[in-house]
Amino acid sequence: MRIGIIGAGLIAGTLTRRLTSLGHEVRVANSRDPETLADLAAETGATAVWASEAAQDADLVVVSIPQKNTPNLPEGVVASRKPGAPVVETNNYYPQQRDGRIDAIEEGTPESVWVSEQLGTPVYKAFNGIYWEHLLNRGRPRGEAGRIALPVAGADGPGKETVLALVDELGFDPVDAGPLEESWRQQPGTPVYGTDLDADGVRAALAAAPPERPAEFSA
């Protein structure tokens, strides 16, 4: 696939490395000049571009940036992707640690629903709850014992199937986590977040998630 990645932090950089190693064509951007990504491009074979160019003709787009920076992305930043191409967002809201207060999220809007509203397009929530080194190093072949499972929340249809298949290709068991409105079940502080569970464990943890936002992840 042709994949656009907006962001170059730990998760975005890891996905750039993993996806290029699997043979995908990756265009990666950060908030600065593409030349600042020259080392990552040289290491991986990805193409460094401006953020406004990352999604061009992409089969899938990943947005992986600090939550507070989402409204600062160029208007229509993912609009140039192929029709129907899914947009994956990996972000987490850390009000005390990084992002400051975002009123809509504090008032109960799921984090990924808020991101979807900022981008002006539906998104899928994935890769937000796994430590970057585990994403880099702990993928396993399908059926192998101890395979970590990752939840994917978003609308049913071909877009979700594409994202679930990509999770599997990366070496993790994909778990359908329901619609985007239920994505709060995998936000920071929930039972599934950062736990490296198997598929049955992920399903149980999603079901057990309380709707209240934990104090450590509230403004």
Side-chain angles (χ1 to χ4, degrees):
M1 290 191 294
R2 188 176 199 181
I3 298 175
I5 298 181
I6 299 171
L10 293 174
I11 292 295
T14 297
L15 287 172
T16 299
R17 292 175 174 89
R18 291 296 319 282
L19 293 169
T20 52
S21 72
L22 291 168
H24 296 290
E25 177 188 344
V26 175
R27 295 159 64 90
V28 61
N30 59 15
S31 60
R32 295 172 290 160
D33 190 295
E35 291 181 1
T36 63
L37 295 175
D39 289 347
L40 180 63
E43 174 194 342
T44 63
T47 301
V49 297
W50 294 99
S52 59
E53 300 170 337
Q56 186 173 357
D57 295 324
D59 299 293
L60 181 144
V61 180
V62 177
V63 178
S64 185
I65 63 175
Q67 196 88 348
K68 64 180 180 180
N69 294 343
T70 309
N72 300 329
L73 289 170
E75 186 174 355
V77 69
V78 299
S80 61
R81 70 194 189 281
K82 290 180 181 177
V87 177
V88 176
E89 75 97 9
T90 77
N91 307 345
N92 290 308
Y93 172 53
Y94 300 125
Q96 299 178 34
Q97 300 86 350
R98 182 191 63 197
D99 296 313
R101 180 182 177 90
I102 297 175
D103 287 341
I105 296 177
E106 292 291 337
E107 292 164 5
T109 300
E111 296 170 16
S112 292
V113 172
W114 181 84
V115 170
S116 177
E117 292 170 351
Q118 305 308 305
L119 295 177
T121 194
V123 301
Y124 295 90
K125 187 177 191 73
F127 306 115
N128 74 294
I130 183 170
Y131 183 51
W132 71 270
E133 286 188 335
H134 298 183
L135 181 60
L136 182 65
N137 296 319
R138 294 196 181 180
R140 298 289 184 270
R142 186 184 309 168
E144 184 172 305
R147 202 182 197 215
I148 295 169
L150 299 179
V152 175
D156 290 339
K160 179 178 272 188
E161 294 304 316
T162 296
V163 179
L164 292 170
L166 188 65
V167 171
D168 182 47
E169 186 182 5
L170 286 163
F172 304 92
D173 281 338
V175 173
D176 188 333
L180 198 65
E181 291 74 18
E182 293 287 313
S183 62
W184 56 267
R185 295 181 181 275
Q186 64 193 79
Q187 292 177 174
T190 58
V192 78
Y193 180 79
T195 49
D196 290 348
L197 300 168
D198 63 12
D200 287 342
V202 165
R203 294 185 187 98
L206 292 170
E212 298 80 17
R213 176 172 289 280
E216 62 268 34
F217 295 108
S218 299

